[in-house]
Amino acid sequence: MLERYELRMPKNVFAGKNSLEKIAEIGANYKKAALFTDRGIRAAGLLEKPESLLRQAGLAVAVLDDLPAEPTCDQAQEIVERFCGTGADLIVAVGGGSVMDIAKLASVSAPEEYGVRDMLKDPLIGKKRTPTLLIPTTAGTGSEATPNSIVAVPEEELKVGIVNPAMLADYVILDGEMIRSLPAKIAAATGLDALAHAIECYTSKKANPFSNLFAMEALKLIFANLERACLDPDALDAKNGMLLAAFYGGVAITSSGTTAVHALSYPLGGKYHIAHGVSNAILLLPVMRFNREACLGEFGEIYDALTGIGLTGGAAGTKEEKADWLLGRMEGILKTLNVPASLKEFGVGEEDLGALVEAGMQVQRLLVNNRRQVTPADAERIYREIL
């Protein structure tokens, strides 16, 4: 565990029933809002209330509703430039991780001085210029809690994280009504992304008392709520639990960091355009099995915490038994939620292994966090397991 550590969080977080009503109070401090979202969110009717509350607060509203999923750095740049032409003094993002990530980039951008590609080389060049209000419509990415923005770099066929503390949100609203109608498939993929965040941060070499506090709370909420939140549209308590879990997982990332699951998933999104949550879900078990011997203590602590809230229903005694129970429980969740277990349906084959390994091994920023060293041969075995 690290001997020195720190914690960074969004400035203001509002959660629970009718939290969206805080929009009017927040908006009273500004004149014009740029509302970032995508067409799916607008079509689902999720934009109506936030936009209405902004207008009721007296703000002019410029809507950017065509943000792309899994954006490239150049797509993000195009949105940033359009935002800068709105004259808005507040950014409001209503959406999933991609929407919030682009909004965060816009908040620190100055196209006349530097662009997104410049921030890929020097993330700290960006300075906060516009306050952000982030309202997640999925419970998983944790983007609302982090200073990270993930973009694809087309020529490298890889996703890259831009990390800058200035991108931390000024306001966050977590309201279960925003994910009430989320399709089960998307809820599962994003929820499993939250699980990956929490367990990776807890087992990371950079784990510390701050990150462990939030990661463990996230894990307890996820194991208690994920399946019901995905499969029962009316389980608003479970959905609110997952929103908190996703946020806690994001906070854990800011103090610790993800590991080999995320490192090896980035090439799958960059080259094959597999959704981030899905690629993490596919890799979660293979990587955690690979890490088992190096993480027996951490897996045992998670088991004990789940037992403490009445979730395990098991009688494991040794660290090995506790680790096996935990891995088995995660496998059960994946099966219940019908998440893909292999890359076959995405057109990835044996001939792609070399390129995947090469690209995955480039993500040393995260691989160095993994408690067990990942060699190219290890990465190949992990990828081969999911072909």
Side-chain angles (χ1 to χ4, degrees):
M1 184 175 289
L2 293 180
E3 294 183 355
R4 296 178 62 184
Y5 34 89
E6 59 186 59
L7 180 67
R8 293 188 175 106
M9 296 178 66
K11 293 179 181 177
N12 302 275
V13 184
F14 307 99
K17 188 176 181 179
N18 297 324
S19 296
L20 280 178
E21 301 297 335
K22 282 288 181 178
I23 290 175
E25 179 183 319
I26 295 167
N29 300 307
Y30 302 96
K31 296 180 179 179
K32 184 175 184 178
L35 190 49
F36 286 50
T37 193
D38 60 42
R39 291 194 174 97
I41 297 299
R42 166 154 273 187
L46 292 175
L47 203 64
E48 293 176 6
K49 187 168 184 178
E51 183 175 359
S52 175
L53 287 167
L54 287 168
R55 295 188 187 280
Q56 287 175 31
L59 278 78
V61 180
V63 180
L64 287 75
D65 63 358
D66 58 349
L67 273 64
E70 314 288 336
T72 67
C73 52
D74 299 318
Q75 288 174 320
Q77 178 68 31
E78 191 269 333
I79 298 294
V80 165
E81 290 175 1
R82 283 168 50 197
F83 156 71
C84 289
T86 66
D89 60 349
L90 175 67
I91 293 172
V92 181
V94 179
S98 295
V99 168
M100 291 187 285
D101 281 3
I102 297 176
K104 288 189 289 186
L105 286 174
S107 75
V108 299
S109 288
E112 70 281 0
E113 299 176 27
Y114 53 86
V116 174
R117 283 186 175 270
D118 296 312
M119 287 191 280
L120 285 169
K121 300 173 185 175
D122 180 9
L124 298 181
I125 196 173
K127 308 298 179 186
K128 177 64 74 76
R129 295 168 182 267
T130 311
T132 50
L133 163 57
L134 306 184
I135 307 172
T137 58
T138 63
T141 70
S143 178
E144 69 277 4
T146 75
N148 306 359
S149 181
I150 309 301
V151 293
V153 182
E155 65 272 21
E156 296 181 12
E157 296 184 329
L158 188 66
K159 287 185 176 181
V160 176
I162 297 172
V163 183
N164 181 339
M167 291 197 292
L168 282 167
D170 296 275
Y171 310 95
V172 171
I173 292 178
L174 308 174
D175 193 322
E177 289 292 342
M178 299 301 287
I179 63 169
R180 181 189 285 275
S181 302
L182 191 66
K185 185 176 180 180
I186 299 175
T190 53
L192 288 164
D193 190 22
L195 174 55
H197 292 159
I199 199 165
E200 286 181 86
C201 285
Y202 197 82
T203 58
S204 170
K205 282 185 177 180
K206 292 181 180 177
N208 61 74
F210 287 149
S211 64
N212 281 354
L213 173 67
F214 285 95
M216 185 63 84
E217 288 304 309
L219 286 164
K220 289 190 286 188
L221 285 166
I222 291 165
F223 279 99
N225 293 294
L226 176 54
E227 290 157 302
R228 197 159 60 92
C230 292
L231 302 177
D232 183 354
D234 296 320
L236 199 58
D237 60 331
K239 295 177 189 295
N240 273 314
M242 284 304 300
L243 275 174
L244 281 176
F247 178 80
Y248 290 163
V251 174
I253 289 173
T254 69
S255 186
S256 175
T258 53
T259 62
V261 176
H262 274 67
L264 298 181
S265 80
Y266 281 161
L268 298 177
K271 182 173 183 178
Y272 300 99
H273 309 294
I274 301 173
H276 179 68
V278 173
S279 60
N280 284 334
I282 293 172
L283 279 160
L284 181 59
L285 267 179
V287 171
M288 288 301 141
R289 289 192 187 112
F290 171 80
N291 284 342
R292 178 182 178 276
E293 296 305 313
C295 298
L296 285 175
E298 290 75 19
F299 287 174
E301 290 166 3
I302 295 168
Y303 174 94
D304 291 341
L306 297 182
T307 300
I309 58 173
L311 288 181
T312 66
T318 67
K319 289 182 178 179
E320 289 79 8
E321 289 172 337
K322 292 176 180 181
D324 290 340
W325 179 90
L326 184 63
L327 293 170
R329 181 71 183 96
M330 287 193 289
E331 184 175 13
I333 291 173
L334 289 165
K335 289 180 178 177
T336 297
L337 298 181
N338 197 28
V339 175
S342 80
L343 299 175
K344 290 179 181 177
E345 66 183 81
F346 302 102
V348 184
E350 183 87 15
E351 68 279 5
D352 300 301
L353 268 175
L356 281 174
V357 171
E358 183 179 357
M361 292 304 297
Q362 290 179 25
V363 194
Q364 288 297 315
R365 177 178 69 88
L366 303 182
L367 286 176
V368 296
N369 297 341
N370 206 65
R371 202 166 286 275
R372 179 180 175 187
Q373 182 181 3
V374 180
T375 67
D378 295 327
E380 181 177 339
R381 281 192 292 271
I382 292 169
Y383 281 130
R384 193 179 294 279
E385 188 176 337
I386 58 176
L387 285 181

